[in-house]
Structures are given as C-alpha cells and as structure tokens.
Amino acid sequence: MMHMTATIELQAVTDGDVQTLWEMQVEAFSELLQKYQDYETSPSAEGIDKVMARYRQPWTHYYFIMAGGQKVGAVRVVDKNDGSRKRISPIWIMKEFRGRGYAQAAISAVEKIFGSDNWSLDTILQEKGNCHLYEKLGYHRTGDVMKINERMDIVLYEKN
C-alpha cells in the first residue's frame, strides 16, 4: 500500500482568528479531557484569554492547518531564536479530519519553515497513536515523564 503525504497549507492565524482558534482547540481536545479529566493541563479547559496571551507572545506562531480550503486543525510553534529548542505545543486535527496524515504533513511543513532540528514536544503517554506519529517523524523520548493524574502521564520528546 502506498502512503501519500497529505496536502496541506499553513495559514498564519491573525488577530481576528483567535476566537475561532480557541473554539477549535476546545472542541479538538474535549474527548481527551473527558477521558483523562486533566482539567489543570488540558487545552480544552483553557479560556480564550490564555490563548490570546500566547498568541501575543513574540515567539509564538499559530497556524491553521488547511486542506481543501477548510481549517482541519491548527499548530502552535514556539521559537525564541535563542538557541533553545523550538516547540510544537499544541497541534491538533479536528475529529472529522483525523487519520488522513494532516498532522504529519503539518509537522513537516513547520520544520520547513523553522528548520528541521532542535525541536521538542510532549504528548499523552497513554495515547499510543500520538506517540507513534512523533516517533515516525524522528522524535525520540527524552525519558522524562510527568504524572498528571492516575489516568495519564505526559511524555517528552526531542528531535536532534
């Protein structure tokens, strides 16, 4: 079976898009919030003020992941340009668009923009699909695991 890379475009989020970005984030992470009850850390539990504050950081770059003219997800890149690791935090694909390779294509696209080395990200250890995606893209576990609650742990990844 041949695996084609999904075709996506990254569209920079603007001031007028923050409400949409936040609504998408809340919806995209809602099932994980219900599953893990991680009210302190879940992107689904954040208020719009927190997303707006992040959007305003000079080192934050938010993009909608676009496919076929639709917003299928979003990604935030943190790049402080000071030699520290760049971060993907968070990335999501809306439920109805999952399983089509969009997240993988989006990560490749941000690596083209910001450079392919010196990255970090974290994900839920119990979400095997997420772990598999990042490992397939060349991310390796640092060995650091943070216990959030009895249901979930966060595992840290780095690339190069």
Side-chain angles (χ1 to χ4, degrees), residues 31-99:
E31 282 181 35
L32 291 176
L33 176 60
Q34 287 166 2
K35 183 173 176 182
Y36 296 111
Q37 308 284 304
D38 54 323
Y39 294 97
E40 298 301 308
T41 58
S42 173
S44 192
E46 287 183 351
I48 190 170
D49 51 328
K50 204 160 181 184
V51 174
M52 180 58 87
R54 258 192 227 115
Y55 168 78
R56 290 196 174 125
Q57 294 168 338
W59 55 83
T60 281
H61 309 271
Y62 272 112
Y63 299 95
F64 288 121
I65 302 164
M66 305 293 294
Q70 290 183 288
K71 294 178 175 80
V72 301
V75 58
R76 172 178 174 242
V77 175
V78 176
D79 183 5
K80 295 194 174 172
N81 281 313
D82 61 0
S84 63
R85 286 191 177 274
K86 295 165 285 200
R87 282 180 53 77
I88 293 172
S89 173
I91 181 172
W92 72 83
I93 303 296
M94 303 309 288
K95 185 177 182 180
E96 61 271 30
F97 298 108
R98 289 178 194 157

Side-chain angles (χ1 to χ4, degrees), residues 59 61 76-89 110-122 139 157-160:
W59 55 83
H61 309 271
R76 172 178 174 242
V77 175
V78 176
D79 183 5
K80 295 194 174 172
N81 281 313
D82 61 0
S84 63
R85 286 191 177 274
K86 295 165 285 200
R87 282 180 53 77
I88 293 172
S89 173
V110 298
E111 288 180 355
K112 278 195 185 81
I113 297 169
F114 293 94
S116 60
D117 62 334
N118 205 29
W119 286 92
S120 69
L121 54 79
D122 54 59
Y139 287 80
Y157 280 91
E158 289 180 351
K159 184 172 182 174
N160 307 350

